[in-house]
Amino acid sequence: MINNKKRLLSLVAVFSAIELILAILVQITDGALNKTVSFLVVILACAFVALFYAKTKEYYLTQIALVGTVFADLFLVVLDNGTRELAMVFFSITQICYFLRLYFGHTSKRERQIHLILRGIAIVTAMIATIIVLKEKTDFLSLISLFYYANLIINVVYAFVQVKKSLIFALGLVLFTLCDLFIGFGVLGSSYLALEQGTLWYWLAHPGINLAWLFYVPSQALLALSLLKTKLNELK
């Protein structure tokens, strides 16, 4: 257990430097090495949160969320053999944990009720839009993916509503959203819709560099660090 502020900040600097190195390696490696480096990004972020241990809902939900991310990337990045559905189930669990972190952060019953209503509307709208756009191509993967993304978007909104509690958390979710935007267009272009070359939509699906992980690596680092402010206050 870390009980010294200076030591904690030193470890944060080391963690950030390692994640930066991994972010570079993700872009310049390929094959099995790339999978290993990519998976190390989420493993490290998940393990690093142990430094902020506290008997609070915020801590437990954040830790479970990052564990969910590890399992999601195990199926999506490491195994990558028809396991996208399982990956999205775990990513959904991750966003549900972040939702609960935000939900318990509200200070009134009315705020919680409004939050639930808006989230419900977003999820239902996403499901209906998926069915309308994809029609007969609608499947479990598309539905669970939009369920996940709707929750992520609402999480971003409420993270900024509660931004005074943790700006790092809000920024981490924004980067998470940008990552999934590029992944989503890639899946959409390869599995569901024909995207015409030369259009913005085609570029979003085939940007030429790994833009998804350009956003994903810092998102996981920031989400892991989102408990730093609470821990520093505890050490005062």
Side-chain angles (χ1 to χ4, degrees):
M1 183 63 61
I2 303 297
N3 53 16
N4 180 282
K5 185 183 295 187
K6 186 175 180 180
R7 186 181 177 192
L8 176 61
L9 292 175
S10 296
L11 289 171
V12 166
V14 171
F15 167 74
S16 301
I18 294 174
E19 288 284 16
L20 176 59
I21 292 170
L22 292 175
I24 295 170
L25 290 175
V26 166
Q27 297 296 328
I28 64 176
T29 58
D30 54 24
L33 178 58
N34 184 264
K35 288 185 178 183
T36 301
V37 170
S38 300
F39 196 49
L40 280 175
V41 168
V42 293
I43 289 287
L44 179 60
C46 182
F48 187 73
V49 170
L51 294 181
F52 307 117
Y53 176 76
K55 293 181 179 180
T56 63
K57 291 176 182 177
E58 182 183 48
Y59 173 79
Y60 288 122
L61 289 168
T62 303
Q63 184 67 89
I64 294 170
L66 288 166
V67 170
T69 303
V70 168
F71 277 99
D73 281 320
L74 173 64
F75 290 113
L76 192 63
V77 177
V78 179
L79 301 178
D80 189 25
N81 185 26
T83 53
R84 283 182 178 176
E85 290 84 359
L86 276 172
M88 294 314 302
V89 167
F90 278 106
F91 273 133
S92 295
I93 291 172
T94 292
Q95 293 308 319
I96 288 171
C97 286
Y98 289 141
F99 147 54
L100 291 173
R101 172 177 166 173
L102 292 162
Y103 180 77
F104 290 124
H106 291 306
T107 56
S108 72
K109 182 177 179 181
R110 179 175 174 77
E111 286 179 340
R112 291 183 178 183
Q113 290 175 335
I114 293 173
H115 185 158
L116 289 176
I117 292 170
L118 290 177
R119 188 173 294 269
I121 291 173
I123 292 171
V124 171
T125 302
M127 297 295 99
I128 293 174
T130 302
I131 295 170
I132 291 174
V133 173
L134 298 183
K135 299 181 175 65
E136 70 279 357
K137 290 186 177 181
T138 302
D139 56 12
F140 177 73
L141 177 59
S142 61
L143 290 173
I144 190 66
S145 295
L146 267 293
F147 170 83
Y148 153 79
Y149 205 70
N151 276 286
L152 175 54
I153 294 297
I154 298 299
N155 284 344
V156 170
V157 171
Y158 273 99
F160 277 99
V161 169
Q162 300 180 17
V163 72
K164 289 183 179 180
K165 294 184 178 181
S166 180
L167 174 61
I168 290 176
F169 183 56
L171 294 176
L173 289 175
V174 169
L175 292 173
F176 210 146
T177 305
L178 292 172
C179 162
D180 286 328
L181 177 67
F182 286 99
I183 289 178
F185 274 106
V187 173
L188 194 66
S190 63
S191 304
Y192 296 102
L193 299 175
L195 302 178
E196 185 179 346
Q197 288 190 6
T199 63
L200 172 62
W201 311 116
Y202 185 86
W203 179 82
L204 289 172
H206 310 280
I209 62 172
N210 198 342
L211 279 177
W213 278 80
L214 186 67
F215 294 116
Y216 190 55
V217 177
S219 80
Q220 297 311 298
L222 290 176
L223 290 170
L225 290 168
S226 67
L227 298 173
L228 178 61
K229 181 180 178 180
T230 302
K231 189 65 177 181
L232 288 175
N233 289 334
E234 178 186 307
L235 295 176
K236 283 184 178 180

